[in-house]
């Protein structure tokens, strides 16, 4: 079985989502299906169809989360150190085109959230950063042309 690297916080978020789906969503969907069934003819019952669709999506997500959680390999970024970028590092970058400073933490595929500064290890930017040192300039292919970033700092455990 393939293991997926993940931070403890990322694993905790997925476990909370799984608990919510099982403890809250699933019972609500069952109630909605029972109520929709009580309305009679199921062949023309939009509420019933919507509840069944929601149930299908929720059950699929539960299975997906269970598989991800069971194959998670938790890596504690606070136990890491060094001068090069690796999984779990927070990397402070400056976009050389806009001079905008941005900070990303390199995390697992299933916990990535670019708006929250969580960059997937499998993204082109993260792949370009891995193994680089502070002061390095990297070039990343982007739809509008290559983007260049300078690594200002690498932080572990913060």
């Amino acid at each position: 079985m393939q293991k997926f690297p993940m931070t403890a916080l990322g694993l905790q978020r997925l476990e909370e989502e799984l608990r919510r789906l099982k403890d809250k969503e699933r019972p609500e969907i069952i109630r909605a299906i029972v109520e929709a069934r009580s309305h009679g003819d199921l062949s023309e019952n939009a509420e019933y169809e919507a509840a069944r669709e929601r149930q299908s999506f929720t059950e699929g997500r539960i299975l997906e989360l269970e598989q991800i959680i069971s194959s998670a390999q938790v890596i504690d970024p606070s136990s890491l150190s060094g001068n090069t970028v690796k999984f779990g590092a927070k990397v402070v970058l400056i976009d050389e085109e806009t001079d905008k400073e941005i900070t990303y933490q390199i995390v697992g595929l299933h916990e990535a959230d670019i708006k929250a500064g969580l960059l997937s290890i499998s993204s082109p930017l993260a792949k370009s950063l891995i193994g680089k040192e502070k002061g390095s300039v990297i070039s990343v292919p982007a739809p509008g042309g290559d983007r260049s970033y300078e690594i200002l700092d690498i932080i572990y455990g913060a």
Side-chain angles (χ1 to χ4, degrees), residues 7 9 76-81 88-92 103-107 117-118 153-158:
T7 64
L9 183 58
D76 181 7
S78 66
S79 68
L80 302 173
S81 62
K90 284 189 180 175
V91 185
V92 182
T103 302
Y104 292 118
Q105 181 178 14
I106 299 177
V107 298
L118 302 174
D153 201 5
I154 303 168
I155 306 161
Y156 289 100

Side-chain angles (χ1 to χ4, degrees), residues 61-80:
R61 182 64 178 156
I62 287 171
L63 288 174
E64 179 184 27
L65 287 170
E66 287 174 339
Q67 191 274 323
I68 292 167
I69 290 168
S70 70
S71 61
Q73 177 183 0
V74 177
I75 297 172
D76 181 7
S78 66
S79 68
L80 302 173

